[in-house]
Amino acid sequence: MAQTKRATFGSKIGVVLATVGCAVGLGNIWRFPYMLGDNGGAAFLLVYIGCILFLGIPVMITEFFIGRYSHKNVAGAFKAIAPGTKWSIIGYNGVLAAFLILGYYSVVSGWTLEYIVQACGGSLAGKDASDFANEFTNFSTSVFRPILWTAVFIILTHVIIISGVKEGIERASKVMMPVLFLILIALCIRSLTLPGANEGLTFLFQPDFSKIDSSVVLSAMGQAFFSLSIGMGCLVTYASYFGKNTNLQTTALQVTILDTLVAVLAAVMIFPAVFNFGIEPTAGPELVFITLPNVFEQLPFGNIWSFVFFVLLALAALTSTISLHEVSTAYIHEEYHISRKKAAILVSIGVFIVGVICSLSMGIWSAYKIFGLNIFDFVDFVTAKIMLPFGGMMICIFVGKRIEKNLLREEVTNHGSIRFYFFNTYAFFVKYIAPILIGLIFLNETGLFRAIFN
Ligand code: PFF
């Protein structure tokens, strides 16, 4: 494929850390633990690992293939590989999904900043569970503060994006990801040294197979996709900055292992503490914003633990918001030939508007419903449960139908210079198995599965 002069990541470690940064986010530290709590603990973990191995890795390699082969943003990639066809809809779906996700993701990311400030000011101290629940509701439904923090988070993301691929994204990821790992390990050690730690670990690692049913399996698949950032072009966009020597297979393996490690460590950090204080592991999405501050405040130096935890959450969110921002920025910059800075400004303003709408829909605009959901939940539903599986499924169908097997083999083996032991199995999976499984996730997440099979 013809290659234009384009930014690339500068080093192998930069490639891995930037891509891990894209994958590791609120999905690992906020969504994974509560999904695990809701879906029976260890049994969910086992199924999740199966989904990562058999679905996550093959689809990730496939997205890497599209990005590195085309050297283009996600919309440009499909236009370049299949010019004049409708396949480019997959690319536009990715750009739109990343843009919308960034809108509500920035709101939740902004909440982490509010908690950091509160922990610093000592105002989390001396509260009980109902205080935390009331204050979270009051804060998240209010008008100004959530919008202010959303704006701050978008500005942080913007600054990194305009510094460029190597100087901005790669450099920031190289600093933030190791810090994130260190904080996570420190918090795990704290949690594991609590008296009730064993009960939490049993919940996490001793599977009760009777808990596995179709809904657990399908939720695990959906979570695997969200966590690995599959289906919306972030991985395609990042792979377009990979060098020609980047090993797509080992990169996918490393990113997947590290992403899963962070999710498991987040659970190890949370559940022993939750059990120690006799709190229900099935608290749901509020686990991180209501249950955990309550848990931390019962520990000695509670404010410090809260502070450290929310810094961890903010860092994880930031490495993901930059990847979501980059999808739209690269698209506008390359397809409309305007400077990267101007493209980034347009994206940031647009995302801020979506963020404001999402934030207000939790409070004063909560009466406006679309299909019974407020706007925040509706955007979350449409993107994570419809656009993302649609994107992932279409990417597999596209490569299975449109790309010659030899061309795929050439690209994923760096023109024969590295081995790919199970290439035929991989190609078969991507062409037939993955689209069917992703189709099932789609039916499950939209509620259609239950409607059809019950
Ligand atoms: N993988 C991110 C997380 O776990 O929080 C979320 C995400 C980022 C999803 C980027 C999709 C994406 F393109």
Side-chain angles (χ1 to χ4, degrees):
M1 176 130 288
Q3 288 180 19
T4 46
K5 179 102 189 72
R6 209 158 173 277
T8 51
F9 291 127
S11 62
K12 244 190 217 169
I13 184 85
V15 163
V16 173
L17 290 182
T19 316
V20 173
C22 161
V24 168
L26 298 174
N28 302 62
I29 301 170
W30 168 60
R31 202 166 186 262
F32 179 79
Y34 84 72
M35 297 271 298
L36 193 123
D38 273 350
N39 285 288
F44 177 85
L45 181 61
L46 269 187
V47 179
Y48 178 79
I49 289 175
C51 296
I52 290 281
L53 289 179
F54 295 109
L55 208 55
I57 295 177
V59 181
M60 187 179 284
I61 295 175
T62 308
E63 290 205 22
F64 285 170
F65 157 76
I66 294 172
R68 217 256 312 256
Y69 175 65
S70 66
H71 278 283
K72 293 241 175 338
N73 65 84
V74 62
F78 288 93
K79 280 204 282 183
I81 300 175
T85 65
K86 294 218 168 65
W87 290 109
S88 53
I89 290 175
I90 308 173
Y92 295 120
N93 174 70
V95 174
L96 184 63
F99 177 78
L100 292 173
I101 288 191
L102 185 53
Y104 76 81
Y105 204 94
S106 301
V107 175
V108 181
S109 306
W111 295 346
T112 64
L113 300 181
E114 166 78 14
Y115 277 76
I116 291 176
V117 169
Q118 289 207 19
C120 276
S123 53
L124 295 176
K127 291 181 181 155
D128 62 18
S130 72
D131 294 335
F132 279 110
N134 288 339
E135 292 206 355
F136 176 70
T137 310
N138 286 344
F139 162 69
S140 59
T141 55
S142 67
V143 174
F144 291 110
R145 283 182 80 86
I147 291 179
L148 172 76
W149 291 124
T150 304
V152 173
F153 215 91
I154 294 172
I155 291 168
L156 288 174
T157 308
H158 183 90
V159 169
I160 296 173
I161 288 293
I162 56 171
S163 307
V165 171
K166 209 192 267 178
E167 292 303 309
I169 299 176
E170 182 173 350
R171 216 165 63 174
S173 307
K174 273 176 155 170
V175 177
M176 291 194 287
M177 292 318 291
V179 174
L180 183 144
F181 269 98
L182 286 179
I183 296 182
L184 193 53
I185 288 169
L187 286 168
C188 280
I189 294 174
R190 168 70 269 204
S191 190
L192 288 173
T193 48
L194 289 170
N198 272 348
E199 210 185 329
L201 292 180
T202 308
F203 177 74
L204 252 183
F205 294 118
Q206 214 173 71
D208 170 359
F209 291 103
S210 68
K211 296 247 163 81
I212 300 180
D213 60 14
S214 62
S215 142
V216 169
V217 174
L218 296 168
S219 302
M221 272 202 254
Q223 172 62 18
F225 264 59
F226 187 83
S227 188
L228 294 175
S229 305
I230 284 170
M232 69 182 50
C234 277
L235 298 175
V236 173
T237 308
Y238 270 30
S240 73
Y241 305 131
F242 289 1
K244 63 182 183 340
N245 294 329
T246 301
N247 185 331
L248 303 186
Q249 303 161 52
T250 48
T251 305
L253 206 62
Q254 286 160 341
V255 170
T256 308
I257 291 173
L258 289 172
D259 183 73
T260 310
L261 187 68
V262 171
V264 172
L265 287 177
V268 168
M269 157 183 78
I270 290 173
F271 287 107
V274 163
F275 276 92
N276 182 58
F277 291 105
I279 289 165
E280 278 304 304
T282 50
E286 60 188 49
L287 189 64
V288 158
F289 289 102
I290 297 175
T291 311
L292 275 193
N294 183 28
V295 165
F296 289 133
E297 287 313 314
Q298 297 180 45
L299 294 173
F301 309 109
N303 266 350
I304 297 180
W305 294 114
S306 289
F307 172 77
V308 171
F309 173 76
F310 284 106
V311 168
L312 168 75
L313 203 54
L315 283 179
L318 188 56
T319 54
S320 288
T321 53
I322 55 181
S323 72
L324 289 161
H325 199 298
E326 181 62 22
V327 173
S328 307
T329 302
Y331 163 66
I332 295 177
H333 168 52
E334 291 174 6
E335 299 301 307
Y336 297 96
H337 308 290
I338 57 176
S339 74
R340 195 178 154 85
K341 280 207 166 107
K342 281 197 190 130
I345 290 174
L346 287 177
V347 175
S348 294
I349 293 174
V351 164
F352 179 64
I353 294 170
V354 178
V356 168
I357 296 172
C358 288
S359 182
L360 292 178
S361 77
M362 311 275 293
I364 55 169
W365 289 355
S366 60
Y368 297 106
K369 303 259 191 231
I370 310 176
F371 298 118
L373 299 172
N374 69 27
I375 298 171
F376 184 106
D377 291 338
F378 179 74
V379 175
D380 179 22
F381 181 85
V382 169
T383 50
K385 300 197 170 164
I386 297 180
M387 297 172 89
L388 202 139
F390 170 79
M393 183 168 76
M394 292 310 291
I395 284 168
C396 292
I397 295 176
F398 172 74
V399 169
K401 268 189 104 112
R402 199 50 219 213
I403 302 292
E404 270 191 36
K405 220 165 144 187
N406 270 343
L407 193 153
L408 182 62
R409 190 195 307 263
E410 282 284 293
E411 188 68 36
V412 295
T413 60
N414 292 358
H415 304 281
S417 63
I418 44 178
R419 279 170 188 269
F420 194 151
Y421 286 103
F422 301 105
F423 177 78
N424 284 329
T425 316
Y426 154 75
F428 179 81
F429 241 81
V430 168
K431 189 165 182 177
Y432 299 107
I433 310 287
I436 294 174
L437 291 179
I438 302 169
L440 288 178
I441 303 179
F442 175 74
L443 291 180
N444 179 55
E445 301 245 326
T446 49
L448 289 170
F449 189 83
R450 230 163 288 148
I452 296 171
F453 295 101
N454 271 352

